[in-house]
Structures are given as C-alpha cells and as structure tokens.
Amino acid sequence: MKNRLRRWWVPVLVALLLSACSTTKHLPEGETLYTGIRRIDIANKDKSDNGAKTIEEVEGALSIAPNNSFFGSASLRWPLPVGLWIYNRFERYEKGVGRWIFNKLAADPVYVSTVNPETRVKVATHLLRDYGYFNGRVTYQVDSTKNPRAVKLSYAVDMGQPYFIDTLTYEGFSPRADSLIHDSVAFSNRLVRRGQHFDVTVLNSEKERIINLLRDNGYYYARSSFLTLLADTLMHPGHVQLKMVPLKNIPPETLKTYYIGHTSVYLTGYNGEQPVDSVKRRNFTVYFSGKRPAIRFGVLRNRFFYKQGAVYSERFQTYTQEALARLGVFKFSEFQYTPRYPGSDTLDIKVNSMFDLPYDSELELNVTTKSTKQTGPGAIFTLSRKNFQRMGATLNLEVKGSYEWQTSSTVDGDKSVMNSYELGAALSLEFPRIVLPWIRNRINPFRFPSRTNFKIYIDQLNRARYFRMLSFGGTVSYSFQKSRSMKHTVTPLNLTFNHLQRRTATFDSIATANPNLFRSLDDQFIPSVSYMFTYDNAWKKRRSRLWWENTVTLAGNVTSLIYAAFGKGLGEKDKKLFGTPFAQFLKLTSEARYLYNIDDRNQLAARLMGGIIWSYGNKTIAPYSEQFYVGGANSIRAFTVRSIGPGSFHPAEGTKYSYVDETGDIKLEANLEYRFRIMSGFLGGNLNGAVFMDMGNVWLLREDTARPGAKFSLNRFFDSLALGTGIGLRYDLSFLVLRLDWGIALHVPYETGKSGYYNIPRFKDGTGLHFAIGYPF
C-alpha cells in the first residue's frame, strides 16, 4: 500500500518542483500574466467622509486580485503560486488523474487583458464624477517584472476639487404632487441639502424618495425613470444648481391619482387545486376549493391593511404582503392591480395565493467528544403543523435528547459510569399576531412582525450516580416590533416546577458537604415574568451587522406580594406555593454579536455576552436550571459543557465532586472568529474554514466554603478566565450549515501543577472536537 502511494505522490511532487521555475510557460500567445497592483497614487486627496467613500469606491474598481492573492488583496500575494504551477504542469492533460488534478487544484491565470486597465480607468473616472469630482482623472502604467511575460499595474488618481450642492428645486409637477413634495421638504424629509458634497447616489436616493412619496399617495404608475435631474455648474463655481423635473411626454396615467376598489383573493391548494367556490363580504371576496376556505375568512381579511375607497398606497401594499408572508401559510402571494374600466381611477385588486405544504420538520444533530474521554451525541427534532385549525397559527412539537458517557475510564472500579442523559418535549402554539381578549382578531396594530406563543414543556435530566430531576411548566409570551430593528418580547407568565426524583448515596454525601448544591436542585416552584429587548440591523444590508439582546427576569415577586397581602413579611423564609417552596431572584443577561464582511469570501465575527443572577428572600441559591455555565459547541469550544468554573475552583479528578456540573451566578464570555472561503461549489455547497479564540468563565456571588476560589474577585479576574483557540470547517449548503470545530485549550483558571499562563498539563487533555449544525454565533 505504501509503495503504491509513493508511486503517486512522488511524481506529483517532482512535477510541481520542476514546474515551479515558471508560471507563464503555457500562457496563450499574446497574453501577459497580471501579478497585482504595485501602487495607487492619489493626488489632491479629499480627507472628508465623502472623499474617503469616493477613494474606497475608486480603489474597489481598480483593485483586482491576482493569482495566489493574500486573502483577496490586489497587491499582496502568497510566495508559492501552487495553483499556477499546477496549471502549467497539468494543462495539457485531457483525461485521467492529470485532468482530475487540473480540475481540482489548478488556478486559471489572471491576464492583463482580463483585468482590462483601460476600461477600469474609465470606470474609476466616472466614479469621481458621480461623487462630485468633475475635474478628476485616473491614469495607469504597466510596470515590468523579472519575468518578461508577467507585469504589475500602477494607477494615478487625481481627485481635483470637489463640487457642492447649491440648490435643488422641484418643478413641472401637478399641483397636488407639487404640494406633497413641498410638504415633505418642509418637514425636512429631503435627503439633499445645500452645502453637501455632490453625490449621485444620494441624488438617486432622493429620486426614489419622491417616487415613493407619490406612490404612497395614489400615483400608482409613478416610476423613477420618469424623473430627471438638470444640473448647472456655471452660475456658482464649485457648486451645482439642480432641478428635478418629470420627463416630457410621459404617459398620462402617471400623473393620475388612483383609489382602491374591490379585492378578490384566489386560493390555490398546495396540490394545485383551483378555486371552485367563493365567499363575499362587502368589498372582499375569497375564491377557494373544497367545502370551505382552508384559512378562516377573518384571519385572511385582517392581513389586508387597506380599505375600499382609500387612496392607493404602496406602503400599505407592502404591509399587506409582509403580513400574508408572516402567516407562513402561502408559498407566494401575487398582487395584480387593474383599472375597473379604461380611464377609471379605481383599481380592483386580484391576489393569487398558493398554499404551502401543511407540515414542516427540522432535525438538528450535534456530537461532542473530548480528549478526557467524555463523548455524547444530541438531537433536536421539530415537527410543525401550519395553519392549525385554519387560524393561521403554527402548532410545534419539539423533542430533544442528548447522551453523554465516559469511556475507557474507571471510577471506583466501574467502567463507563458517566451514562448521563437529558430528554425533553415541548408543545407550542404560535400566532402571527397579538392574542389578547380585548384585541380578539383585529388587524395587527404594529407595522412589523408580532407574535403570541403559548407553550408547555417537560424535561428529564439524569446525572448518572448522582440524581435524576424532572422539570415541567409553561409560558405565555408576546413579541412585537415598532421598528424594523427593535424587537420587544414580554413574558407575563412563566411557570416552572423542578422535582428531584432520585438521589444516590454519593449525591447525598456531596450535599452534606456542600448544602448549596442540594438547595439549587431541591424541589421548587419558579413563577417568573421577563422582558427581552433585541436590536438587529441586518435589514440594512450593510457590510457590518450588529445584533444585541438584553433580558430581565423577575421570579417570585408577585407570589411574595400575595403572601404579604395575607400578613406574611416579604423577607420571611420558607414560603410555599402548592406545597413547594418558590424561588425568588433577579436575573439579567446581555449578548452582543458583531459580523463584519471583509468581502464575499472573508468575515470577522465577534460575540460578547454576560449575565448575573441574584437570589434573595425565599431562597438565596439560584435554581439549578437558571444558573450559568460555559463550554460546548457554541461556547468555549476547547471545553465540554459545564466543565469550567466557578472561578478558579475545579474538582479534582477521581473525587466525589469530579463529575458534578460546574455552574455559577455570574457569566462572562467572549468569542472572536475569522471565517474564510476554502472552496466554492464543493459538492453543491461552499467549504469554509475558521480560526477562533474563545474565553470566559462563571463565578459565584456568595462565598462557598465547599468551593474555594469560586466567588467573583477583581484581583484574580484575568487569571480566572479560561482561554481556548482552535480551527474549524463549515460546509455551507445555504439552507444548512454543517460545522466541525477543534478547540485547543490555552489556559484554565485552576491549578494544574504546571507553571506559566499555558498551564495545560498535556496537549491532548486540552482539546475538544465538536460537530454541530449552524454557526456558533
């Protein structure tokens, strides 16, 4: 076998080495290899924000990556052009192994003719003019290299002097349109103002604003192509006087105000069943197949944000389309507007909607393995029934489970003793609107998505050799958005009951030495309310994205106030609900995620998250299910779940504490990840790589004599942070991302017997391998 392998790789390696002396040997006649940009010189540089934006655009037009580019750079290259070597060596093969190597590993040469510097100079010059540098110009020169068939390019950019906006007037519109435009200007809604840099992108945005204004006020046929801008640069040197006017000879219907007429909705079944019957109420008709509409008439009608006789509004049409999409019932909804008769100012609306499949399912798998021989798979399966009871609601059934065991180890003479598992099920009913008794089924009062979720759940947690706990409960939550970026979630009712079903003698001995552990796991009732605020600017489609979520949870306060009303003090202990003590705590969490797209192949992602829980009153130890932990596939990937902390405490291996989960009252975690494209079109998807750094820990708020070093302290804060790095692979199928991460520990917060910051006794003891679905953040 070894001899056969040697016969393959030795000739390939020799061929690469022999071909390394030339990257241009097999270039077509008349072609020259482009090896990047030597320099871009900028004269009369404008240091304003507009100037910086212009330079970025110009450099983007000029910068083309050469072969073996360094992460997409136009000037930096990797020293070994392997792709070109393989191209030159294997280009002649038409089949066999040689052709396979060529197809998989060769890089097509980037020619100067492909870069086409003449055209790029023209594009860059036009960009200067678009941004108000009317006297700017761009030139280029070809720089020779040691290889006569390979060159570099240099560019010279003279920005000249910028021009500024003097005035912008709107002329030639009908009296009603002119009034609308000037009213919007009076309210400072215009995007172009005196003294601004001339910027054609801003001017185009102003044209779109005017068209959107007109289309929101009845001008259904208004289009930006019907408007033009007239410019004068002679009256005021260095400044531009602008006029926005309609084009001459535009269709007469463009200047006409239209009103909403009758709406007809045609419902096509998910198997293509055509409507054969109809139901009409006032100005709204639904055509359907079968005995009755597959969705209730009121649910469908209340997704439409306009009324008959109202002035046509593109904004309300968009609101309606989004509301129909949020139902999750239809594959598509197509709107058609038709004048009632030739010359009519009334638009009748026909909506063609096709039902989506009623069921949806999702399976999420993950596998974690650790060099300390802790291994475990996990799975979450979700089955959804859309349009439940024709209400436009979704009924979800979620079943989850995970299993973990310790292999090839001995604890008290028993092998594979860590047979721990977690099982759970949840049933939820989600409405795409606010459901309250006094709102009933009225139109959603919010422009953006709102949801109501009713949920019940049950979880079984088994920690082998220690305990088994059953948790069950239910929640009612409401989420709504008053703006596209900001989401509010209110949970007025969250009831959880934790019941410790079984305890072993080993667990009892630990509980005796550490009463706090027992209190966190003891039977208790958790009645809580919470509020969550989420900010997400992904809709802006910028190069960078910020996601920030904050949650406040209060438990037991309402129950405690009820007790106080009956004469029991707020600070009194051992208050019970349904015969079981209830928890009282305040919990705060915050998580921020930042994603920066360097280009279409490279990304930088970061996450910072923290939380704190303060227990008081009836119970001063937070419930086990509410405590914080770190580690795992979506946390610090060099460690398994709940294997770090709290603080510098760590149970010694082989002791009765060695397999107890490590949780705390305070959590801080930070992650940084660089993501890059390895190969496009790999088996129908993209193969991406990642390099990451993770750090964090959990701490206690109160001293615990059984866990020395667990309490939070600023004096040893940095030493108490676990640190890990690693590399990963992601196979992105657009609808599914398969992820494999290999975490490598660099520092643990507890004593290991090894001095220095890198205190991992053995390299293999500080590695973790995680297989998961989706990105970690």
Side-chain angles (χ1 to χ4, degrees):
M1 181 66 179
K2 290 183 178 179
N3 290 334
R4 256 189 294 172
L5 288 175
R6 191 178 293 112
R7 283 201 299 268
W8 279 109
W9 68 260
V10 170
V12 171
L13 181 61
V14 171
L16 289 175
L17 292 175
L18 291 174
S19 61
C21 59
S22 175
T23 56
T24 58
K25 184 176 180 181
H26 294 284
L27 293 184
E29 188 67 30
E31 293 288 3
T32 305
L33 184 68
Y34 165 74
T35 59
I37 294 177
R38 176 157 290 167
R39 66 181 183 275
I40 298 178
D41 297 323
I42 300 176
N44 295 315
K45 187 174 182 179
D46 183 0
K47 297 182 179 180
S48 67
D49 291 342
N50 187 74
K53 181 172 70 171
T54 304
I55 292 171
E56 182 180 359
E57 292 286 340
V58 168
E59 289 181 342
L62 300 176
S63 299
I64 297 297
N67 291 106
N68 58 292
S69 168
F70 184 77
F71 295 121
S73 171
S75 55
L76 300 176
R77 304 173 69 202
W78 294 102
L80 301 177
V82 176
L84 283 177
W85 292 345
I86 294 175
Y87 177 89
N88 279 278
R89 178 63 182 84
F90 293 93
E91 187 270 341
R92 58 191 174 88
Y93 289 94
E94 296 183 357
K95 57 184 180 178
V97 175
R99 193 63 189 177
W100 182 88
I101 293 174
F102 179 83
N103 290 335
K104 294 297 181 181
L105 303 177
D108 292 333
V110 180
Y111 306 127
V112 172
S113 62
T114 303
V115 175
N116 198 347
E118 294 90 351
T119 299
R120 297 198 174 276
V121 162
K122 292 178 182 178
V123 171
T125 302
H126 283 304
L127 282 171
L128 288 175
R129 284 156 173 66
D130 286 344
Y131 286 102
Y133 301 90
F134 298 140
N135 300 320
R137 60 192 299 264
V138 183
T139 58
Y140 81 97
Q141 69 178 33
V142 178
D143 299 329
S144 60
T145 65
K146 293 180 180 179
N147 188 333
R149 298 198 64 187
V151 300
K152 288 184 176 292
L153 297 176
S154 292
Y155 294 94
V157 179
D158 186 351
M159 298 187 71
Q161 297 302 312
Y163 275 69
F164 299 89
I165 300 294
D166 185 14
T167 57
L168 171 61
T169 58
Y170 308 85
E171 300 180 8
F173 293 90
S174 67
R176 181 172 180 270
D178 185 74
S179 177
L180 290 169
I181 293 171
H182 283 87
D183 284 347
S184 73
V185 171
F187 283 100
S188 301
N189 290 330
R190 66 190 299 172
L191 303 176
V192 180
R193 293 178 176 83
R194 184 185 181 91
Q196 284 181 318
H197 279 81
F198 180 93
D199 186 336
V200 73
T201 61
V202 176
L203 293 174
N204 287 335
S205 297
E206 177 66 7
K207 285 174 62 177
E208 289 296 331
R209 187 188 73 82
I210 295 299
I211 291 300
N212 290 337
L213 175 68
L214 296 177
R215 286 179 58 82
D216 280 343
N217 287 274
Y219 293 88
Y220 172 74
Y221 289 102
R223 301 291 185 271
S224 58
S225 58
F226 296 156
L227 299 181
T228 188
L229 284 163
L230 305 178
D232 186 345
T233 59
L234 300 178
M235 293 291 293
H236 189 178
H239 292 76
V240 185
Q241 293 181 339
L242 295 166
K243 290 182 181 180
M244 186 179 294
V245 298
L247 291 172
K248 294 181 179 180
N249 302 321
I250 57 176
E253 58 266 23
T254 305
L255 307 175
K256 194 172 184 177
T257 304
Y258 286 87
Y259 300 87
I260 297 296
H262 185 270
T263 299
S264 301
V265 181
Y266 291 79
L267 301 177
T268 302
Y270 65 85
N271 286 325
E273 299 91 344
Q274 295 301 309
V276 295
D277 203 349
S278 66
V279 56
K280 180 180 180 180
R281 295 180 188 173
R282 296 182 182 178
N283 57 359
F284 197 88
T285 304
V286 176
Y287 295 85
F288 58 93
S289 58
K291 296 182 179 179
R292 61 181 182 178
I295 186 170
R296 296 186 183 184
F297 186 94
V299 172
L300 185 62
R301 177 66 184 93
N302 288 337
R303 302 310 103 184
F304 287 74
F305 282 77
Y306 56 77
K307 297 180 180 179
Q308 184 178 29
V311 173
Y312 166 81
S313 171
E314 183 179 47
R315 182 173 71 254
F316 285 112
Q317 172 188 314
T318 302
Y319 292 175
T320 299
Q321 290 174 318
E322 291 178 351
L324 289 173
R326 286 197 296 269
L327 282 173
V329 173
F330 302 113
K331 284 184 179 180
F332 63 83
S333 293
E334 179 189 42
F335 281 65
Q336 298 175 358
Y337 291 81
T338 307
R340 183 161 293 177
Y341 54 83
S344 172
D345 63 355
T346 298
L347 296 173
D348 288 331
I349 304 171
K350 179 181 179 181
V351 182
N352 293 311
S353 297
M354 183 174 184
F355 282 100
D356 201 354
L357 294 174
Y359 289 95
D360 195 9
S361 62
E362 180 179 345
L363 177 63
E364 180 178 329
L365 301 172
N366 63 77
V367 178
T368 298
T369 181
K370 191 83 165 58
S371 61
T372 52
K373 303 181 180 66
Q374 290 179 352
T375 304
I380 300 175
F381 176 73
T382 304
L383 178 65
S384 300
R385 174 60 167 93
K386 304 174 186 176
N387 196 25
F388 180 70
Q389 293 295 305
R390 302 169 51 241
M391 296 185 297
T394 303
L395 184 68
N396 300 300
L397 173 64
E398 180 183 279
V399 180
K400 65 179 180 180
S402 63
Y403 190 82
E404 182 180 293
W405 64 89
Q406 180 102 0
T407 60
S408 303
S409 63
T410 301
V411 178
D412 296 337
D414 295 328
K415 290 187 177 181
S416 300
V417 297
M418 269 306 290
N419 297 317
S420 300
Y421 62 84
E422 184 173 358
L423 300 173
L427 185 67
S428 64
L429 183 61
E430 185 173 85
F431 293 85
R433 61 185 183 274
I434 299 296
V435 177
L436 289 168
W438 56 89
I439 291 183
R440 298 176 66 84
N441 199 33
R442 297 175 187 170
I443 291 178
N444 177 11
F446 302 109
R447 152 71 176 88
F448 297 101
S450 63
R451 296 191 180 277
T452 301
N453 187 281
F454 301 94
K455 178 180 178 181
I456 56 174
Y457 62 90
I458 184 169
D459 288 309
Q460 175 79 73
L461 176 65
N462 182 75
R463 287 287 179 259
R465 289 169 42 93
Y466 294 99
F467 66 88
R468 184 169 67 236
M469 185 170 68
L470 181 70
S471 298
F472 57 90
T475 64
V476 177
S477 63
Y478 301 92
S479 65
F480 57 91
Q481 292 182 239
K482 287 190 174 182
S483 70
R484 195 181 292 270
S485 300
M486 300 181 186
K487 178 181 177 182
H488 307 267
T489 302
V490 179
T491 305
L493 181 63
N494 187 352
L495 302 177
T496 300
F497 182 78
N498 292 335
H499 173 54
L500 196 60
Q501 296 174 295
R502 180 180 65 87
R503 303 183 326 200
T504 66
T506 303
F507 177 83
D508 287 337
S509 66
I510 296 175
T512 301
N514 185 356
N516 289 341
L517 173 65
F518 176 74
R519 290 196 206 98
S520 70
L521 291 164
D522 196 11
D523 291 358
Q524 55 188 307
F525 190 71
I526 310 173
S528 64
V529 297
S530 66
Y531 166 73
M532 178 189 297
F533 170 77
T534 306
Y535 174 83
D536 189 352
N537 67 354
W539 66 274
K540 294 182 179 179
K541 297 182 180 179
R542 295 177 176 174
R543 175 172 287 189
S544 62
R545 175 187 178 183
L546 176 63
W547 180 92
W548 185 28
E549 186 172 272
N550 301 274
T551 305
V552 180
T553 303
L554 285 169
N557 287 351
V558 174
T559 311
S560 186
L561 288 173
I562 294 173
Y563 266 83
F566 287 92
K568 286 208 172 189
L570 292 175
E572 191 172 332
K573 304 282 187 181
D574 298 326
K575 297 189 289 290
K576 295 183 178 181
L577 185 65
F578 304 125
T580 303
F582 60 86
Q584 284 183 269
F585 60 79
L586 170 64
K587 186 176 183 180
L588 306 174
T589 61
S590 182
E591 179 180 357
R593 301 177 185 179
Y594 179 76
L595 180 66
Y596 181 75
N597 293 292
I598 301 172
D599 54 36
D600 61 346
R601 301 176 66 90
N602 299 271
Q603 294 178 322
L604 189 65
R607 174 173 62 176
L608 179 64
M609 62 185 305
I612 184 170
I613 183 170
W614 172 257
S615 300
Y616 56 90
N618 211 33
K619 280 194 174 265
T620 56
I621 304 298
Y624 172 81
S625 58
E626 296 291 338
Q627 293 182 10
F628 298 108
Y629 59 87
V630 293
N634 297 322
S635 180
I636 307 176
R637 284 160 279 186
F639 309 97
T640 51
V641 175
R642 302 180 181 91
S643 64
I644 290 293
S648 60
F649 171 78
H650 187 69
E653 187 176 351
T655 68
K656 59 185 179 182
Y657 288 101
S658 60
Y659 298 111
V660 174
D661 290 342
E662 299 173 46
T663 58
D665 306 318
I666 303 174
K667 175 179 179 178
L668 184 64
E669 182 180 319
N671 312 84
L672 184 64
E673 184 169 291
Y674 170 62
R675 300 166 183 170
F676 54 90
R677 180 73 49 79
I678 296 176
M679 188 180 299
S680 299
F682 179 74
L683 300 179
N686 293 327
L687 183 63
N688 301 324
V691 179
F692 55 82
M693 182 79 73
D694 305 321
M695 66 183 297
N697 203 348
V698 294
W699 297 265
L700 299 181
L701 276 171
R702 296 179 173 94
E703 197 72 51
D704 186 350
T705 56
R707 291 182 284 180
K711 185 180 178 182
F712 180 82
S713 173
L714 285 175
N715 294 333
R716 52 179 185 270
F717 172 71
F718 290 103
D719 284 337
S720 65
L721 290 172
L723 181 66
T725 186
I727 57 176
L729 292 174
R730 289 94 168 88
Y731 180 41
D732 190 347
L733 291 168
S734 71
F735 64 91
L736 179 69
V737 177
L738 302 177
R739 173 166 58 94
L740 181 66
D741 284 334
W742 181 38
I744 304 169
L746 300 177
H747 175 77
V748 290
Y750 50 85
E751 181 60 42
T752 64
K754 186 174 181 179
S755 61
Y757 188 78
Y758 179 77
N759 59 353
I760 311 301
R762 295 180 302 175
F763 178 80
K764 70 174 186 176
D765 291 337
T767 62
L769 193 65
H770 305 275
F771 175 74
I773 305 293
Y775 289 101
F777 53 89

